[in-house]
Amino acid sequence: MKIAVVALGKIGLPLAVQFASKGHQVVGVDINQTVVDLVNRARQPFPGEADLQAWLSELVPAGRLRATTDYGQAIPGADAVVVVVPLFVDDQTWQPDFGWMDAATRSLAEHLTPGTLVSYETTLPVGTTRQRWKPLIEEVSGLVEGVDFDLVFSPERVLTGRVFRDLRRYPKLIGALGPRGSKRAAQFYRAVLDFDPRPDLARPNGVWDLGSAEAAELAKLAETTFRDVNIGLANQFAKFAERHGIDVHQVIEASNSQPYSHIHRPGIAVGGHCIPVYPRLYLYGDPDATIVRAAREANMTMPAHAVELAAAALEGDLNGKAVAVLGASYRGRVKETAFSGIFPVVEELRRRGAEVAVHDPMFSDEELAGFGWKPYRLGESVQAAIIQADHPEYADLEPDDLPGVRVLVDGRRVTAPERWPGVVRLVIGEGRR
């Protein structure tokens, strides 16, 4: 098949590589000329994705994968077009911004030719595929969905850093607008993906047709919103436990020993492109979902809560205190700050008058300074430290690495208490006795 992948980001590029690795001819479209040039030189444009560089080194020289900024070189004659353009959500209003996706959809529609399957993998509010993309593509292209082309929603369900592994591990969900689209989408994804055996599933791992685009859209929102709501509950338990001198982690372990309890872990922040964002997309279509809204709002309080723990241990005053925030990434071993807790933590510390510096082993001092932060280097004197990301390097820290430290707030529960003699070590959800 000839396949076009629109947007070569941290999901789109691995998808393009996966399709090409199955013997298909793949053209990736991206508006970033630097990304396009790097891909065409068989160089990964971002670090940290397992096996990506090895595949690029094989597929690009073999002529099975190339990149372009020109939709006219990628879309005409394609058997399938897969769209992975980011959908942004306003951090204040929680409203989705369809700007980039609308522009990409118009561009692909201008060059769409009959017989193409168009699949959107970007997570969307329920109803978007049918109510927004179908009429927009038909208007621009002059083609009719279900007659001249077929439209399907098939959500990506992978984590950056392990995309190729996750593509094999999880069922590929599809939801089309009609029977022909369902059949074509199933055939397409079976031809580009491999699936690991999953005896734990009620039905075989593979392509799962959910019957409609709306069902597939809701499935992706449901699985991620569940995690946000569950973490929100765990954070509520954690705050209660702190007030009553209880170790909530011990309580959660005990509760989860019963097979119907699956309580997640509390922490300083919920970050990344998915968990803090997709509940807002769900609320866009269901604004009366009080449980979802309450959980999202509760999770947003955790960075300030972590700062308050540090302040309380320093007699309630952070003014003029040197505080190191450890970890800019939203999670360990990922060089990505999307919706990271680093932003509200630094903002709250500055609001309280602290002298803030930020450390992250995955970012250079220049990169940290580019965010407007003073870079922190281990060995510099501080009075308090807050662990924001669970980088494995932080598990080995000791007071000598942070000279003068009086308080450590471990927002990810990665440190060992015996390593911190003489320091007030606070973990979210572990009450002080």
Side-chain angles (χ1 to χ4, degrees), residues 158-242:
V158 298
L159 284 179
T160 56
R162 63 182 209 194
V163 171
F164 298 112
R165 184 180 69 177
D166 286 352
L167 285 172
R168 297 190 306 269
R169 180 69 176 161
Y170 305 132
K172 186 57 175 163
L173 310 181
I174 62 172
L177 302 189
R180 193 181 80 167
S182 293
K183 182 179 179 180
R184 293 191 63 197
Q187 291 173 337
F188 169 72
Y189 281 111
R190 289 183 185 125
V192 296
L193 299 176
D194 297 304
F195 298 96
D196 294 335
R198 287 284 303 275
D200 59 309
L201 298 177
R203 51 174 158 158
N205 192 11
V207 178
W208 289 13
D209 187 352
L210 299 191
S212 70
E214 289 78 9
E217 289 165 340
L218 179 57
K220 179 56 188 287
L221 294 179
E223 69 183 40
T224 47
T225 299
F226 162 78
R227 295 178 65 191
D228 197 48
V229 171
N230 195 317
I231 294 168
L233 181 63
N235 282 331
Q236 292 284 290
F237 290 156
K239 289 181 176 180
F240 179 85
E242 289 169 5

Side-chain angles (χ1 to χ4, degrees), residues 304-318 323 349 352 384-386 407-409 426:
H305 176 70
V307 172
E308 174 55 31
L309 290 177
L314 291 171
E315 293 78 47
D317 183 18
L318 291 174
V323 181
L349 285 168
R352 290 171 173 255
I386 299 175
V407 176
L408 172 71
V409 176
L426 303 170

Side-chain angles (χ1 to χ4, degrees), residues 268-279:
I268 189 172
V270 179
H273 294 282
C274 301
I275 302 178
V277 176
Y278 298 157

